[in-house]
Amino acid sequence: MELTRRNAIIMGAGAFFVAGLPLRVSAAGEEAIAAFTGGAEIGTGDIKLTAPEIAENGNTVPIEVSSDGAAEIMVLAMGNPTPGVATFKFGPLAASRYASTRIRLAGTQDVVAIAKLEDGSFVQASSTVKVTIGGCGG
Amino acid sequence: MASGVKPRVKVPKSAAAGDSIVIKTLISHKMESGQRKDSDGNVIPRSIINRFTCEFNGESVIDVAMEPAISTNPYFEFEATVPEAGEFKFTWYDDDGSVYEESKSIAIG
Amino acid sequence: MRKLTGAVLATLLSSTLVSAGPVDDELVINDETEIVTRTAAPAHVADVLDEVMSGWLFRGTETRAMEMDDFDNPGMIFVEQAEEQWNTADGSEGKSCADCHGASTEMAGVRPVYPKYNEEAGEVRTLEMQVNDCRENRMGAEKWKYTGGDMVNMTALLASVSRGMPVDIAIDGPAQSTWEQGKDLYYTRTGLLELSCANCHEDNYGNMIRADHLSQGQINGFPTYRLKNTKLNAVHSRFKGCVRDTRAETFSPGSPEFVALELYVGSRGNGLSVEGPSVRN
């Protein structure tokens, strides 16, 4: 982006507001969860989501998910324009139900991981990631 | 095919039978999200890798459905069981129909 | 005007609220290459800094971790691409880099001394200028764009084979006048914000500038893979971005001004290890 005066003002305003804004959520996120679970109840417990509390840059945020009994784990970024991130389906030769990747977050928001366990039940974990905006565009 | 796409995978050269090993993969790809606009204000169309799979001797290790929220140059780390000597096969599926493949052999010892 | 500048800077910086590093951490790449990320300042900057510090110390835990392993460092994909280029013939002479220089690892020790005075040309040259000189005059190939993809990949390869070696840029003798010119630029305020390099990177490193950490602006880690634009960035691109952020018309990458500035800024990091391709925000 060319740094015009107008953009500079917009960027400045963006940085100013980031702390005060409520977390962004989307109905699409809830729909994606319903599609994954078929509306089944979601418990807590056998699932772990590791994400930084503060991401230096929303473009590349490292996350890890694991759940001992999972057949699949779906990850959602609830505040992104499209909430889907990835769904990990573990095969017979997966040594653990663990995966790590790097994701994009459009702003400060909740990241949600839902595991479909081998017994057909669902568990969920979530983590709020603050995304830093503002600084030197260089 | 998107330009400059190059896969990298890290797999140990050998393992004991039944061992679990850590695998890391990275592929150079823009992962254009479909959310960005160019300088004229037109939306840049989505162009991502939408699926990644890893198999060992034909059996699945992991199968990942990928969305535009996966970062540029997609990175995955996961663990696989090595029941016998053989070959890991890694496949990335591009929106444009391209398929990128890489394979790595592992010995028992 | 002075007062206004002060007010602008005070708005940008919020030093009292948040500590912005440097962290107390050690960088070892691939469990084998030890990187010096802080050391006593070289004599020519000892009047203004006690220690010189790599930008790595000013980054968050996850970003620092990405640089500790060549597989986790996305910049290394581009090093691999440059390695192919290194061994591929190009231009009318049908030569590759390897035909004259041997394996890329033979170039260990080159990055740490650049920019360097070139006797024959009678000027200080950056690594990029030297690469293009080879392409044009030895290979009969077209010059690369100064901060283009091919060039930044190649300088990343050349940096990677020197990782762990101390930056050792000569500032005296025939390089001295260029070095003085670079020093002048470093302390010259530019743009509507009237900020010099020193205002941020000497007077305020360790403070926050808006939501980001201010480092010493060392360039031992260039080229750098930035999470922001997810590609390798050349040092002159970073200079351009900084000058632009002061709301000034910037010099061009490869211009004599930026060559002089690179010589000066590079020399401020004498003693730090070559670290490129590094990973930064």
Side-chain angles (χ1 to χ4, degrees):
Chain A
M1 181 168 69
E2 290 295 307
L3 193 77
T4 58
R5 178 167 177 274
R6 184 190 175 88
N7 281 338
I9 292 167
I10 292 166
M11 283 160 61
F16 202 76
F17 281 120
V18 68
L21 278 177
L23 292 184
R24 310 203 298 176
V25 290
S26 67
E30 302 300 332
E31 283 165 21
I33 293 173
F36 185 65
T37 61
E41 203 171 305
I42 307 173
T44 53
D46 173 24
I47 183 162
K48 196 170 161 210
L49 166 67
T50 309
E53 190 187 335
I54 300 174
E56 273 194 306
N57 195 298
N59 261 340
T60 314
V61 183
I63 61 151
E64 280 177 27
V65 288
S66 62
S67 164
D68 291 339
E72 291 178 42
I73 302 178
M74 179 174 73
V75 179
L76 297 169
M78 300 301 278
N80 276 1
T82 55
V85 175
T87 303
F88 302 94
K89 205 177 283 183
F90 299 99
L93 289 182
S96 63
R97 307 307 155 101
Y98 153 89
S100 163
T101 187
R102 296 167 181 165
I103 71 171
R104 293 169 170 155
L105 297 176
T108 295
Q109 59 180 287
D110 284 334
V111 176
V112 172
I114 301 172
K116 180 182 186 181
L117 303 183
E118 271 157 358
D119 66 7
S121 65
F122 293 88
V123 288
Q124 169 177 338
S126 80
S127 181
T128 304
V129 180
K130 295 191 185 96
V131 174
T132 315
I133 300 174
C136 286
Chain B
M1 182 194 283
S3 62
V5 177
K6 190 172 160 57
R8 296 175 84 200
V9 298
K10 187 176 183 181
V11 176
K13 288 195 171 56
S14 68
D19 253 10
S20 78
I21 59 163
V22 174
I23 293 178
K24 295 181 180 186
T25 70
L26 190 69
I27 186 163
S28 55
H29 195 283
K30 282 184 84 69
M31 295 292 283
E32 190 61 57
S33 68
Q35 297 291 333
R36 300 200 308 163
K37 290 180 179 169
D38 64 19
S39 50
D40 297 328
N42 303 316
V43 171
I44 305 171
R46 168 181 145 156
S47 174
I48 68 167
I49 292 174
N50 56 51
R51 186 180 173 210
F52 163 72
T53 61
C54 169
E55 292 178 349
F56 181 74
N57 289 350
E59 210 167 359
S60 173
V61 176
I62 198 165
D63 185 339
V64 188
M66 298 161 65
E67 306 282 348
I70 295 291
S71 301
T72 307
N73 306 327
Y75 171 91
F76 291 112
E77 181 183 322
F78 50 93
E79 293 172 337
T81 304
V82 184
E84 71 248 342
E87 191 175 69
F88 282 100
K89 189 176 167 205
F90 306 89
T91 314
W92 293 260
Y93 300 85
D94 196 305
D95 273 352
D96 69 9
S98 305
V99 174
Y100 316 109
E101 290 178 327
E102 179 76 317
S103 50
K104 287 275 176 188
S105 299
I106 189 164
I108 295 299
Chain C
M1 204 48 174
R2 198 79 209 235
K3 212 177 240 172
L4 181 63
T5 305
V8 167
L9 197 55
T11 314
L12 290 171
L13 301 166
S14 56
S15 52
T16 48
L17 295 175
V18 196
S19 159
V23 297
D24 187 14
D25 199 359
E26 310 263 315
L27 175 55
V28 180
I29 296 175
N30 301 331
D31 291 324
E32 59 183 23
T33 308
E34 287 181 24
I35 300 291
V36 174
T37 55
R38 63 198 302 165
T39 189
H44 53 274
V45 282
D47 54 334
V48 289
L49 296 173
D50 294 330
E51 269 188 313
V52 287
M53 293 175 235
S54 162
W56 184 80
L57 295 171
F58 295 83
R59 302 277 37 116
T61 313
E62 292 81 16
T63 312
R64 294 203 307 279
M66 282 172 85
E67 198 181 314
M68 290 176 162
D69 180 295
D70 276 356
F71 200 89
D72 294 342
N73 181 345
M76 292 305 288
I77 311 173
F78 304 102
V79 167
E80 284 183 8
Q81 289 178 8
E83 180 68 39
E84 280 177 26
Q85 183 78 51
W86 181 266
N87 294 303
T88 305
D90 198 0
S92 59
E93 303 303 303
K95 280 190 206 166
S96 70
C97 307
D99 286 333
C100 289
H101 295 288
S104 58
T105 48
E106 295 289 319
M107 301 303 275
V110 173
R111 172 72 267 180
V113 298
Y114 270 82
K116 185 184 169 189
Y117 185 78
N118 182 305
E119 203 75 50
E120 213 170 299
E123 62 180 4
V124 169
R125 285 197 171 166
T126 61
L127 210 44
E128 284 90 341
M129 291 161 80
Q130 210 58 52
V131 167
N132 265 343
D133 185 73
C134 274
R135 288 187 59 78
E136 210 177 11
N137 299 319
R138 290 174 193 264
M139 299 165 72
E142 271 187 37
K143 285 210 259 186
W144 280 329
K145 184 169 177 271
Y146 197 89
T147 53
D150 289 325
M151 182 64 92
V152 75
N153 290 359
M154 185 56 69
T155 59
L157 171 64
L158 294 171
S160 72
V161 297
S162 288
R163 283 182 298 177
M165 300 174 79
V167 176
D168 184 18
I169 294 171
I171 64 169
D172 51 4
Q176 194 184 348
S177 61
T178 308
W179 186 81
E180 297 285 356
Q181 187 199 350
K183 184 176 179 181
D184 278 351
L185 283 167
Y186 190 86
Y187 287 102
T188 301
R189 291 170 183 264
T190 61
L192 293 171
L193 297 186
E194 291 205 345
L195 294 172
S196 72
C197 308
N199 291 140
C200 285
H201 296 293
E202 183 175 288
D203 302 341
N204 281 294
Y205 68 87
N207 291 334
M208 300 292 282
I209 183 156
R210 295 175 51 198
D212 204 357
H213 299 189
L214 266 178
S215 73
Q216 282 187 348
Q218 296 289 354
I219 59 174
N220 59 305
F222 276 85
T224 186
Y225 183 89
R226 291 189 66 187
L227 305 181
K228 175 196 153 73
N229 58 14
T230 56
K231 62 174 189 173
L232 286 176
N233 293 257
V235 69
H236 286 200
S237 302
R238 178 70 259 195
F239 287 167
K240 187 178 160 188
C242 273
V243 176
R244 187 202 60 205
D245 284 354
T246 72
R247 316 289 190 261
E249 286 287 337
T250 89
F251 301 108
S252 300
S255 64
E257 290 85 0
F258 274 174
V259 171
L261 187 61
E262 183 181 342
L263 175 69
Y264 176 70
V265 177
S267 79
R268 287 173 71 99
N270 274 357
L272 293 173
S273 297
V274 171
E275 202 185 302
S278 61
V279 183
R280 300 286 187 264
N281 183 18

